[in-house]
């Protein structure tokens, strides 16, 4: 873990080195910067840094999820692949040869910067979309800087008075062209300048589309439950107009959607979880449901194994006020756990008990084959329940006799007679 953090910091330092080189190199080509102490120190620093990067990669080769973990094999792999890029970028071309344009070769290191950004996005899943935008803006500014230098190069102004002003006006022109704003104060003169300007304009359309698309995507993904809520309301609008649904029924439906949204239940997690391997499915569902399951007094003292077995098979359901979960004499094949809400148990016309957070009901169906419900259970408020099918629960109970006994005892007390297990 610690080693990973050090590696990330190292990659960040390399990224800074590669970025400053990517800024410096085109400036050096177009303005033919005269060598001075600070520039030389900077150039040597980057060279030392990139050489050290080769040594770091050889000493501590990076493991990959899908590959072998043998260090020797990883080193050979590195020498056959990324080494060439690291090696070229570590050569101080400008100091060896007097041709500044050769320095462009060193910018191959930016490929590794791209890889670093990619790995960050894979790790930081929660903020991956923000990182994508952030990295895009990073590349955009670097790209704009190169284009600005390229514009200065092809305009070839002899002995410019003020280099900073020249650079800034070029960058200004590039950005206004890239963002498709284009005020048109600077117009191309030569054929090459026309072609250059056209290419930037076309690239600008892509840049614009990418930004708009990604921002929209980002906003739509911020809150899936909210999206689901608004989608449902949209559908409701169409539906009530088409089928002329009465006002009080419309209100009930929209109240239900509001409740689902507030409780963050509108996003079906089970669809996502079912795509994972079994072991991970268990782990994720225990994480999501642990707090809730621990509130159920029956499960209070059981261990992680039990939670793991049971949580994956729990299906959340919501009952609206006045809704009957089931009616007396209905066939019963599942039992329920009350997460939140208030319900009444009604036998004939008489309310015989009320149920609330942490209670369970419908358990009698688990002990008798094709049993009929002994009472009606009606939801008084909005109720969040977890439903567990008989087959799965019986399976789990076989492994946890203490819980089976407790449920049996409750059922016995409620029925006032002996329960015969099927
Ligand atoms: P079941 O018969 O499957 O369906 C109706 C449920 O109501 C029953 O299981 C019990 O879980 C519950 N129930 C019946 N009688 C009582 C009671 N006296 N107190 C609380 N719950 C009850």
């Amino acid at each position: 873990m610690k080693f990973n953090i050090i590696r990330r910091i190292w990659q960040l330092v390399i990224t800074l080195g590669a970025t400053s080189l990517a800024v410096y190199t085109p400036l050096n080509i177009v303005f033919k910067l005269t060598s001075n102490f600070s520039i030389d120190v900077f150039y040597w620093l980057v060279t030392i840094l990139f050489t050290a990067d080769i040594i770091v990669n050889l000493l501590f080769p990076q493991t990959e999820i899908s590959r072998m973990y043998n260090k020797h094999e990883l080193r050979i792999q590195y020498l056959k692949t990324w080494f060439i890029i690291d090696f070229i970028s570590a050569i101080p071309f400008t100091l060896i040869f007097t041709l500044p344009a050769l320095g462009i070769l060193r910018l191959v290191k930016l490929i590794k910067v791209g890889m670093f950004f990619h790995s960050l996005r894979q790790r930081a899943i929660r903020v991956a979309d923000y990182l994508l935008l952030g990295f895009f803006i990073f590349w955009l500014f670097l790209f704009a800087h190169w284009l600005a230098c390229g514009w200065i190069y092809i305009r070839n102004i002899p002995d410019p008075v003020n280099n900073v002003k020249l650079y800034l006006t070029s960058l200004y022109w590039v950005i206004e062209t890239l963002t498709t704003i284009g005020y048109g104060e600077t117009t191309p003169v030569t054929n090459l300048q026309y072609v250059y300007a056209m290419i930037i304009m076309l690239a600008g359309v892509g840049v614009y589309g990418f930004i708009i698309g990604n921002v929209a995507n980002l906003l739509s993904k911020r809150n899936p439950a909210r999206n689901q809520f608004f989608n449902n309301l949209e559908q409701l609008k169409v539906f009530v107009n088409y089928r002329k649904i009465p006002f009080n029924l419309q209100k009930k439906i929209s109240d239900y959607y509001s409740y689902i949204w507030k409780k963050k239940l509108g996003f079906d997690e089970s669809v996502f979880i079912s795509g994972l391997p079994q072991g991970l499915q268990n782990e994720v569902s225990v994480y999501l449901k642990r707090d809730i399951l621990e509130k159920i007094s029956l499960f209070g003292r059981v261990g992680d194994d039990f939670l793991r077995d049971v949580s994956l098979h729990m299906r959340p359901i919501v009952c609206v006020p006045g809704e009957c979960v089931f009616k007396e004499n209905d066939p019963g094949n599942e039992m329920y756990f009350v997460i939140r809400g208030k319900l009444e148990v009604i036998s004939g016309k008489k309310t015989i008990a009320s149920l609330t957070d942490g209670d369970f009901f419908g358990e009698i169906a688990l002990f008798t084959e094709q049993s009929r419900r002994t009472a009606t259970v009606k939801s008084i408020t909005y109720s969040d329940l977890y439903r567990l099918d008989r087959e799965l629960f019986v399976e789990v109970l076989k492994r946890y006799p203490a819980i089976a006994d407790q449920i049996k005892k409750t059922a016995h007390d409620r029925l006032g007679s002996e329960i015969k297990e099927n």
Side-chain angles (χ1 to χ4, degrees):
M1 183 68 194
K2 231 178 185 171
F3 180 73
N4 264 340
I5 293 175
I6 296 172
R7 183 178 274 283
R8 293 260 173 250
I9 294 173
W10 177 250
Q11 286 172 321
L12 197 69
V13 173
I14 295 293
T15 299
L16 286 177
T19 309
S20 38
L21 199 65
V23 172
Y24 163 79
T25 306
L27 286 177
N28 187 32
I29 296 171
V30 290
F31 292 121
K32 301 181 184 63
L33 301 174
T34 43
S35 165
N36 64 32
F37 179 72
S38 43
I39 287 184
D40 285 352
V41 167
F42 156 74
Y43 212 67
W44 275 114
L45 261 181
V46 173
T47 304
I48 294 167
L49 196 68
F50 287 1
T51 312
D53 192 36
I54 297 178
I55 298 168
V56 167
N57 281 318
L58 282 170
L59 286 180
F60 313 105
Q62 194 160 9
T63 50
E64 280 178 39
I65 301 169
S66 56
R67 290 240 177 86
M68 60 275 170
Y69 285 88
N70 178 329
K71 279 204 169 160
H72 179 67
E73 283 171 318
L74 285 169
R75 269 182 206 125
I76 305 244
Q77 182 74 19
Y78 169 68
L79 285 173
K80 281 188 191 161
T81 51
W82 293 108
F83 171 74
I84 186 73
I85 283 177
D86 289 343
F87 181 70
I88 292 173
S89 62
I91 303 172
F93 289 102
T94 330
L95 295 177
I96 302 171
F97 311 98
T98 42
L99 206 60
L102 265 183
I104 292 179
L105 285 177
R106 299 188 80 182
L107 301 190
V108 285
K109 194 75 171 178
L110 289 174
I111 298 176
K112 289 199 86 177
V113 172
M115 301 278 296
F116 173 53
F117 286 171
H118 183 70
S119 73
L120 280 186
R121 280 187 56 217
Q122 275 186 332
R123 294 270 153 192
I125 296 172
R126 281 180 69 177
V127 287
D129 290 326
Y130 294 94
L131 287 181
L132 177 71
L133 256 181
F135 296 152
F136 177 76
I137 289 167
F138 168 87
W139 291 119
L140 186 65
F141 272 101
L142 208 55
F143 188 50
H145 168 69
W146 290 338
L147 289 174
C149 292
W151 185 236
I152 297 169
Y153 189 77
I154 61 170
R155 282 174 78 206
N156 197 17
I157 297 167
D159 302 321
V161 193
N162 187 339
N163 280 351
V164 176
K165 182 93 191 279
L166 176 59
Y167 172 74
L168 283 178
T169 48
S170 296
L171 187 63
Y172 177 77
W173 176 81
V174 166
I175 289 183
E176 68 176 3
T177 314
L178 260 186
T179 51
T180 67
I181 294 169
Y183 293 120
E185 319 93 325
T186 316
T187 44
V189 179
T190 64
N191 288 350
L192 181 63
Q193 286 173 16
Y194 270 108
V195 172
Y196 194 80
M198 280 191 291
I199 292 173
I200 297 184
M201 284 171 195
L202 287 177
V205 177
V207 167
Y208 200 69
F210 186 91
I211 292 182
I212 299 290
N214 270 282
V215 171
N217 186 24
L218 209 94
L219 293 179
S220 73
K221 277 199 258 173
R222 266 162 61 113
N223 190 340
R226 185 173 186 273
N227 290 343
Q228 186 86 25
F229 171 70
F230 284 112
N231 278 348
N232 286 337
L233 279 193
E234 261 325 294
Q235 282 176 4
L236 176 66
K237 245 191 273 169
V238 175
F239 182 65
V240 293
N241 283 331
Y242 179 60
R243 296 303 304 256
K244 306 277 177 289
I245 303 285
F247 183 74
N248 63 339
L249 210 50
Q250 287 176 30
K251 189 174 173 318
K252 276 188 187 170
I253 301 174
S254 88
D255 283 353
Y256 168 74
Y257 286 148
S258 302
Y259 180 78
I260 296 266
W261 178 34
K262 273 189 209 130
K263 298 285 174 201
K264 295 192 168 60
L265 298 168
F267 181 61
D268 190 359
E269 294 156 349
S270 60
V271 174
F272 165 74
I273 294 176
S274 62
L276 298 173
Q278 194 63 39
L280 259 186
Q281 282 191 21
N282 288 338
E283 229 174 285
V284 174
S285 59
V286 169
Y287 170 78
L288 292 174
K289 294 175 187 166
R290 174 186 289 278
D291 290 352
I292 292 170
L293 291 183
E294 278 178 352
K295 275 193 203 131
I296 295 166
S297 52
L298 179 68
F299 302 155
R301 278 156 285 142
V302 296
D304 273 11
D305 283 355
F306 177 80
L307 289 181
R308 205 164 298 133
D309 282 345
V310 110
S311 65
L312 196 61
H313 306 303
M314 295 282 208
R315 294 272 169 264
I317 56 165
V318 174
C319 291
V320 297
E323 180 181 346
C324 289
V325 183
F326 49 71
K327 291 207 169 119
E328 198 169 339
N329 281 328
D330 279 354
N333 280 311
E334 61 282 310
M335 74 174 291
Y336 299 84
F337 298 89
V338 185
I339 307 307
R340 219 176 291 115
K342 203 166 174 260
L343 301 102
E344 277 179 352
V345 182
I346 303 163
S347 180
K349 289 199 167 157
K350 214 169 121 213
T351 301
I352 53 169
S354 61
L355 302 163
T356 186
D357 305 8
D359 288 337
F360 62 86
F361 63 91
E363 76 287 353
I364 294 164
L366 298 176
F367 296 107
T368 46
E369 188 132 19
Q370 283 163 8
S371 77
R372 300 265 153 192
R373 298 297 188 187
T374 54
T376 298
V377 175
K378 185 175 172 184
S379 183
I380 304 302
T381 59
Y382 275 102
S383 300
D384 298 344
L385 311 174
Y386 267 139
R387 200 185 82 178
L388 196 59
D389 292 342
R390 184 211 318 238
E391 291 78 13
L392 295 165
F393 200 67
V394 166
E395 201 52 47
V396 172
L397 289 190
K398 271 188 199 150
R399 297 180 53 195
Y400 302 94
I403 294 200
D405 285 349
Q406 221 175 317
I407 298 179
K408 225 182 290 172
K409 186 178 171 303
T410 310
H412 171 239
D413 291 347
R414 285 172 174 175
L415 262 185
S417 61
E418 197 62 45
I419 293 283
K420 271 198 232 117
E421 217 174 319
N422 57 59

